[in-house]
Amino acid sequence: MSAVLELSGLTKAYPGVIANDDVSLTIQPGEVHALLGENGAGKSTLVKMIYGLVKPDAGRMIFLGQEFAPAEPRAARAAGVAMVFQHFSLFEALDVAENIALGMEHPPNMRDLAARITEVSQAYGLPLDPSRLVGDLSAGERQRVEIIRCLLQNPKLLIMDEPTSVLTPQEVGILFQTLEKLRSEGTSILYISHKLEEIRRLCDAATILRLGKNVGTCDPKVETARAMAEMMVGATLHVPERKPHERTQVALELRGLSLAAPSAFGTSLKEVSLNVHRGEILGIGGVAGNGQDELTAALSGEMPVAAGQLWFEGQDIGALGPNERRALGLLAAPEERLGHAAAPDMSLTENAVLTATTRKSLTRKGFVNWRAAEGYTKEVIAQFDVRTPGPHTAARALSGGNLQKYVIGREILQDPDVLVVNQPTWGVDAAAAAAIRQALLDLAAGGAAIIVISQDLDELMEISDRFAALNEGRLTPPVPASGLSVEKIGLMMGGAHDLEPVHV
Amino acid sequence: MDLSSINPILLVASLMVAATPIILAAIGELIVEKSGVLNLGVEGMMIVGAICGFAIAVQTGSPFVGFVAAAFGGAVLSLLFGILTQYFLSNQVATGLGLTLFGLGLSSLMGQGYIGIRPPATPRLEIPVLSDIPVLGPVLFNHDLMVYVALGLVVATWAVLKFTRAGLILRAVGENHDAAHALGYKVVRVRLMAITFGGACAGLGGAYLSLVRVPQWTEGMTAGAGWIALAIVVFGAWRPFRVLLGAYLFGGVTVLQLNLQAAGVAIPVEYLSMSPYLITIAVLVIMSSGKAKAALSAPACLGKIFHASS
């Protein structure tokens, strides 16, 4: 049996960086092939070449025995390649059928299309109402729209870019059943992920990329997750260690916090209650878009909350703004590194002044004390191993992992009593992520209270003392994190959002 | 003061005429904004259309050729905006404002020799039988061709946006240009076509002012009509028929204040001239206070620069 897709020697360079360097791989019919690698290893560039979004500089592709060089996605789709994007390529203000029609070459008229959507979605256990607005759908349902858009074209090769990063464990299970059914029908799947356990569950073969190069293939069913992780990183992994520490008095408390959604597609917080003790890390999980950003904003002071709902060491601080909260000792690091946590075009020193001015006295009578600011920035850079030419570098010039280390370090070195971080290691390479987690553990051991909001459940299990989940703006009561099963977490996160398992 | 001198039938008939330039410009801008581009140069494109149409109509003696030239002039000017914003990725707000200033200056230059001339008259279509119906006849069926062209354009725009694949692609590009690009649609090309269409419509609207409504050429004669058209697109929540309604509302107030002035209402003329603008502002404020509603209907990529990074 001949291969579905054969890549040989694919190379693509961007100014200053070689995204793909002589990459080869082969996908067999009916095979689920994993493409593994850290952020920035060149996975996305590789699949964009297959999908016709990027032209390779060198190398050749053979698809179904024929030379394959799609000039645009349309050509790739016509040949039988379909792709589910990581950041959904959906249009929120259009309905499901319109979104699907946009991804097809020759869509039938809307009524027939709606009927086919219903038919296909039932057949694969992914029920969808064609007339609903995509903006009103959950992340899992949005992914179904993408998948069905692909399935309607009967693809030979389905590319999935990080499909599970937005799903609850139950939704992942249903997705895998759908993929198994596709595989049994002979469709090949190129599956991009960095979640190793999933790959071990699902995939038949894996190709590992590091810094744009193919560093090996393996059978994920045989290899251990740790061995694959070390192939991805190219070094031995340092696992964060937890020092014994004890929790003492309550530092921060939410009493029935309710907050209206700030925008049409935002989430309102409903009766959120929690407390976090000194010396403790409270992990808050949940699928993206269930109120994480709103909760961060309410805690940091970007959105003021009603009186009596937010208490810091026995003081009602709901009406205080971010700077007043920082002065008290409540610091926060939001999710979006560029544009929210840091101003992209300003230097690291200037960015340090923006949040550390109150606690580190970097300004005097309205004048910035640049010497002190630069000293503080250098301290952050040194202590958190931020790889950068110096404190004058613009924030946007740093890689994701380095900027995240800087953002977290900038808050930690201000010696907070309570620290709120949202997605501390999102899109950060494994080594930097381990360093950040270690820093958070050390801070808690030093007596600070920490709230970590994250969608990475492994991370939360690794560092939190207690775990709670956000689901549509409601927070579950926190439970001790040790010994918590994946099923229990999944249920806390809202289960499968009425998904049905596939009927094979 | 004699309010009885105001003839309601004539009032409504002239309302339709007063609203036509704004309908034309606003429906063009609606298409532009639906594609995700904010072109603040409507005023500039209108006045260039006004002088192009006027000059060519005077030279050829044919108002029809004048209107074609106006559409062409507006389209050429809008392409300047299109190239700057789509290829050179300039800021849309600044470029649009620049286009308005440029258009005003260019039109004064072009209009040097045309001040005080009367253009050839645009014939009214006195539709037989229908125009003889009492009340409805003079109101609806006794206008020049452009009034009906403008109405037809509104209906066509609605139908294209709602029912056709071209309309779907246009909305998709305005809603999420990255996703549209990822699916293989030519974002820049779609937007350039929308911008050109918007320019042509604004040109027609301007020519309607100089050839029918006024009809003569004076510098700065659009007098803010382009801005009103921009406001009406927001007022109409990017929906063609609500844009039509907004244009009629504005046209109605304009005509009413003229009639009130003529009837000798004891209010200073300045207040009356101001009133359509005040009412437009008031309506916009009321509209946008229902935050969620307006946000839902605005194209999500409106005014954002698209750069294919992959």
Side-chain angles (χ1 to χ4, degrees), chain A residues 267-348:
Chain A
T267 311
S268 55
L269 296 175
K270 301 164 194 93
E271 291 285 317
V272 173
S273 294
L274 62 83
N275 56 48
V276 54
H277 301 75
R278 286 183 160 278
E280 175 189 53
I281 298 183
L282 173 66
I284 296 182
V287 175
N290 273 298
Q292 285 91 340
D293 293 342
E294 290 78 7
L295 182 60
T296 314
L299 290 171
S300 71
E302 282 174 63
M303 293 202 300
V305 304
Q309 295 188 343
L310 178 60
W311 297 81
F312 175 80
E313 316 231 298
Q315 184 188 348
D316 182 357
I317 59 164
L320 300 185
N323 276 327
E324 292 155 304
R325 293 190 194 184
R326 282 194 191 109
L328 289 172
L330 169 57
L331 307 185
E335 171 181 2
E336 185 74 28
R337 288 186 284 268
L338 275 180
H340 197 172
D345 288 317
M346 293 172 85
S347 73
L348 295 182

Side-chain angles (χ1 to χ4, degrees), chain A residues 5 19 39 49 56 60 115 126 141 153 158 185 189 206 250 281 306 342 362 380 383 409 433:
Chain A
L5 179 72
N39 287 82
M49 289 194 282
R60 58 197 287 237
L126 306 165
E141 290 171 311
Q153 301 169 69
L158 178 63
E185 292 169 356
I189 297 167
V250 172
I281 298 183
L362 299 183
V380 175
Q383 286 209 23

Side-chain angles (χ1 to χ4, degrees), chain B:
Chain B
M1 186 167 83
D2 181 15
L3 287 180
S4 62
S5 70
I6 300 178
N7 178 340
I9 294 175
L10 277 181
L11 185 79
V12 177
S14 49
L15 172 159
M16 289 186 66
V17 172
T20 296
I22 296 163
I23 294 173
L24 285 166
I27 211 75
E29 181 66 11
L30 180 137
I31 290 287
V32 177
E33 294 193 10
K34 271 286 182 190
S35 83
V37 177
L38 180 65
N39 185 354
L40 294 182
V42 182
E43 178 84 3
M45 299 185 301
M46 273 185 96
I47 197 146
V48 165
I51 185 58
C52 283
F54 189 86
I56 299 296
V58 167
Q59 297 298 335
T60 62
S62 156
F64 175 72
V65 179
F67 276 112
V68 173
F72 183 75
V76 168
L77 195 65
S78 72
L79 264 183
L80 181 67
F81 170 87
I83 289 166
L84 284 172
T85 56
Q86 301 305 305
Y87 288 113
F88 299 111
L89 307 181
S90 68
N91 179 295
Q92 292 178 4
V93 171
T95 312
L97 291 173
L99 196 73
T100 287
L101 295 176
F102 175 65
L104 288 169
L106 182 70
S107 64
S108 320
L109 181 69
M110 290 165 73
Q112 288 293 327
Y114 293 96
I115 296 167
I117 302 178
R118 281 195 74 81
T122 309
R124 285 189 178 192
L125 298 177
E126 288 179 13
I127 304 168
V129 187
L130 287 180
S131 60
D132 297 330
I133 303 172
V135 185
L136 278 184
V139 168
L140 289 179
F141 301 111
N142 195 11
H143 294 294
D144 55 275
L145 183 64
M146 287 310 287
V147 170
Y148 305 110
V149 168
L151 288 175
L153 213 52
V154 173
V155 177
T157 302
W158 168 77
V160 165
L161 285 177
K162 191 166 168 66
F163 296 117
T164 69
R165 184 157 175 85
L168 179 59
I169 293 172
L170 183 85
R171 284 186 288 148
V173 165
E175 197 53 45
N176 185 345
H177 50 217
D178 293 318
H181 174 72
L183 289 174
Y185 294 104
K186 307 266 183 264
V187 173
V188 169
R189 193 184 299 168
V190 169
R191 288 191 168 164
L192 276 179
M193 292 193 315
I195 290 168
T196 314
F197 176 80
C201 286
L204 284 179
Y208 191 83
L209 282 174
S210 63
L211 289 176
V212 181
R213 178 135 159 72
V214 176
Q216 61 174 343
W217 166 252
T218 43
E219 280 183 21
M221 66 179 299
T222 46
W227 297 110
I228 295 294
L230 271 165
I232 281 172
V233 175
V234 181
F235 167 82
W238 295 271
R239 290 190 198 126
F241 287 111
R242 281 173 67 171
V243 164
L244 183 69
L245 184 76
Y248 278 153
L249 187 72
F250 177 79
V253 178
T254 310
V255 175
L256 188 66
Q257 66 95 358
L258 285 174
N259 278 281
L260 287 176
Q261 282 187 37
V265 176
I267 303 174
V269 176
E270 287 77 8
Y271 285 113
L272 289 174
S273 323
M274 217 190 278
S275 60
Y277 301 93
L278 283 178
I279 288 177
T280 306
I281 292 172
V283 169
L284 281 175
V285 169
I286 294 164
M287 287 281 306
S288 49
S289 61
K291 229 186 288 171
K293 262 190 194 161
L296 258 180
S297 50
C301 280
L302 185 58
K304 288 188 191 154
I305 289 178
F306 171 70
H307 176 59
S309 58
S310 48

Side-chain angles (χ1 to χ4, degrees), chain A residues 335 337 404 421-426 452-456 459:
Chain A
E335 171 181 2
R337 288 186 284 268
Q404 189 68 31
V421 290
N422 190 357
Q423 295 276 63
T425 62
W426 182 80
V452 179
I453 300 170
S454 175
Q455 284 151 50
D456 185 342
E459 165 174 279

Side-chain angles (χ1 to χ4, degrees), chain A residues 14 48 51 53-54 72-74 77 85 89-94 98 101-105 107 110 149 264-265, chain B residues 161-162 165 168-169 171-173 175-186 291-292 295-296 298 309-310:
Chain A
Y14 290 112
K48 279 179 182 168
Y51 195 58
L53 275 167
V54 174
E72 52 174 4
R74 222 167 275 202
R77 281 203 295 265
F85 292 88
S89 59
L90 294 178
F91 307 91
E92 293 199 335
L94 306 184
E98 287 174 329
L102 279 165
M104 298 175 74
E105 279 324 298
M110 280 299 171
R149 175 153 80 188
F265 289 116
Chain B
L161 285 177
K162 191 166 168 66
R165 184 157 175 85
L168 179 59
I169 293 172
R171 284 186 288 148
V173 165
E175 197 53 45
N176 185 345
H177 50 217
D178 293 318
H181 174 72
L183 289 174
Y185 294 104
K186 307 266 183 264
K291 229 186 288 171
L296 258 180
S309 58
S310 48

